[in-house]
Amino acid sequence: MSSTVPDLGDTEQLKTLLEDVASPDQLRELLDAPGVDDAMIDGFVAAVGAEGVLDKVFGLMGEHFVAERAGNDAGVIRWDVTAPGGTLSYGLSIRDGAAIGERGAPDGPKVTLTLSVPTLLRLCAGRLNGVQGFMTGQIKLSGDMMFGAKLPGWFDY
């Protein structure tokens, strides 16, 4: 991974950069590069496509879910993510020792989280504490607050 700011005009380079992200450490490295701010993140997402970025993020969530931390808790989380071009919904199902993310609004979520793409990426990289994000208004939560509060602890950052 390179810790330099990517050229937002080079879509192929950006897509390769996205494909290469396989861990929260690598995501953190990108977010910590000099000059990376919300506008830069939104530009990256606009250049490579919000669906591609979010598909990658929600796929990685499943790989970094630690079932033992969740115990017997289970449920579906709806994520409404504000991206360049509009809001996209994703579902994350926690059950049977796994977390499975998929595109689209799930039926009957236990909790709904509303946040921007930069906030989601910082949360997934361990650069934003979920409770702090909620308290500062970066993350809006509706539904089962206790379930939502426990959710960040179930992933390996």
Side-chain angles (χ1 to χ4, degrees), residues 26-69:
Q26 291 172 322
L27 181 55
R28 249 188 318 277
E29 186 177 329
L30 289 174
L31 294 174
D32 290 347
V36 174
D37 58 10
D38 286 6
M40 171 66 76
I41 295 168
D42 282 338
F44 173 85
V45 171
V48 299
E51 292 88 357
V53 172
L54 295 177
D55 288 351
K56 178 75 170 191
V57 167
F58 284 92
L60 287 171
M61 279 186 190
E63 293 175 24
H64 294 277
F65 176 69
V66 182
E68 299 77 37
R69 294 183 191 168

Side-chain angles (χ1 to χ4, degrees), residues 2 12-13 24 41 51 57 71 73 92 106 122 130 144 153:
S2 168
E12 289 309 310
Q13 176 196 21
I41 295 168
E51 292 88 357
V57 167
D73 282 326
L92 185 70
R122 288 188 183 99
D144 186 335

